[in-house]
Amino acid sequence: ITLLNDFSSELDNIEEAQTSQATHFYHCNNPIFTALADVINQFQVPLTLFYDLLQAFKSDVEKKRYLSFEEVLSYCQYSAAPVGRILLCLNNSATEENLNYSDAICNGLQLINFYQDIYQDITENDRLYLPLDEMKRHNVSIENLKNQINNTSTQALIEQQLTRARQLYESGQPLCSTLTGRFALEIRTIYAGGHLILEKLEKNSHSIYQRPRLTRFDKVKIFWYGLFPQQPGQ
């Protein structure tokens, strides 16, 4: 937390330089932030996005449980959405429509990442990103997860999460066809990779502790989608 607060202070220095309309942002003590300030100035990246990321990192230290899906999605909005928005700024593609599509993809990817690492998160870091209220409704306890219990309750719980993640994720798919050039290729391959992981999770919903793996053929499909954009699975 102390280190993250130091990072926040560096962002404050950049913001202060912006406010004073300084020509150069060289008030940073950390050379990384001096370089970052130059990029922020050149590409007009909102500082709030970096503050949001720091808030997510602090949550990783301080918060281990989430009472509702709204809390989980709020975390994603700090931890994942800023990354996509920063990339759009760096590629001069930050239209309001693209930003909304990007939020859907990034937040969906974050959820997919949670659902492939349920057992690892709870056993190694004591973190759980499944909503506690929905676990209660499905009669699934934290001890069930730690003991890798698979039954109709755990299956129903994870299926609910995956259905919602798919809806969110696919709502951002139009971004794959609105971008151009190398950046578009990268975004399409990222999208296809996330989509394949989601499909594997859905097929393994009866065993929520089985982490999906991408095969060589999967990687060929991802590359193919990057070159020739169409909905993955078609």
Side-chain angles (χ1 to χ4, degrees):
I1 293 297
T2 299
L3 290 172
L4 292 173
N5 285 336
D6 289 343
F7 285 177
S8 185
S9 296
E10 296 286 7
L11 293 179
D12 291 342
N13 291 336
I14 296 174
E15 185 174 30
E16 182 180 350
Q18 286 181 331
T19 303
S20 62
Q21 297 183 338
T23 304
H24 299 289
F25 299 144
Y26 295 128
H27 299 286
C28 303
N29 299 316
N30 187 324
I32 292 176
F33 281 85
T34 300
L36 177 62
D38 182 63
V39 173
I40 289 173
N41 184 41
Q42 181 180 350
F43 292 94
Q44 297 299 295
V45 184
L47 266 172
T48 53
L49 299 177
F50 298 96
Y51 282 114
D52 286 349
L53 288 172
L54 291 183
Q55 181 58 46
F57 300 153
K58 289 180 181 178
S59 293
D60 288 336
V61 177
E62 300 173 333
K63 191 173 178 67
K64 304 290 187 179
R65 305 287 186 269
Y66 294 82
L67 298 178
S68 66
F69 179 70
E70 287 71 27
E71 280 195 6
V72 176
L73 193 59
S74 176
Y75 170 82
C76 295
Q77 197 60 38
Y78 285 97
S79 67
V83 177
R85 287 178 169 248
I86 291 170
L87 287 174
L88 287 174
C89 290
L90 296 179
N91 285 273
N92 298 311
S93 304
T95 65
E96 191 63 31
E97 185 177 54
N98 285 349
L99 289 170
N100 290 331
Y101 288 144
S102 175
D103 286 353
I105 291 176
C106 290
N107 291 342
L109 276 174
Q110 180 74 89
L111 293 174
I112 293 167
N113 184 58
F114 290 157
Y115 305 147
Q116 72 173 357
D117 289 328
I118 293 173
Y119 182 71
Q120 180 179 350
D121 282 338
I122 193 66
T123 56
E124 294 184 8
N125 300 307
D126 191 33
R127 291 179 188 158
L128 181 63
Y129 298 98
L130 296 174
L132 295 181
D133 59 349
E134 294 177 4
M135 289 180 60
K136 184 176 180 180
R137 282 198 292 272
H138 288 285
N139 196 30
V140 176
S141 70
I142 294 176
E143 287 304 312
N144 290 155
L145 302 179
K146 290 181 177 180
N147 293 320
Q148 299 190 62
I149 300 299
N150 283 301
N151 53 32
T152 55
S153 295
T154 57
Q155 182 174 348
L157 173 65
I158 196 62
E159 285 178 350
Q160 178 185 5
Q161 311 309 311
L162 295 175
T163 297
R164 192 164 46 201
R166 174 181 282 273
Q167 292 172 346
L168 175 62
Y169 194 59
E170 291 185 346
S171 70
Q173 194 272 341
L175 182 66
C176 297
S177 57
T178 61
L179 301 174
T180 59
R182 176 180 171 179
F183 184 45
L185 172 63
E186 293 173 352
I187 295 302
R188 289 196 296 266
T189 54
I190 290 171
Y191 181 85
H195 205 276
L196 273 175
I197 292 293
L198 180 59
E199 289 178 353
K200 289 177 181 290
L201 287 169
E202 290 170 335
K203 291 177 181 178
N204 293 332
S205 61
H206 61 284
S207 179
I208 67 174
Y209 312 103
Q210 183 176 341
R211 199 177 197 277
R213 301 291 182 183
L214 293 177
T215 65
R216 289 184 179 179
F217 182 63
D218 290 330
K219 294 174 183 178
V220 170
K221 289 195 292 185
I222 291 171
F223 181 67
W224 182 263
Y225 178 72
L227 292 176
F228 305 103
Q230 69 279 328
Q231 183 72 16
Q234 294 181 351

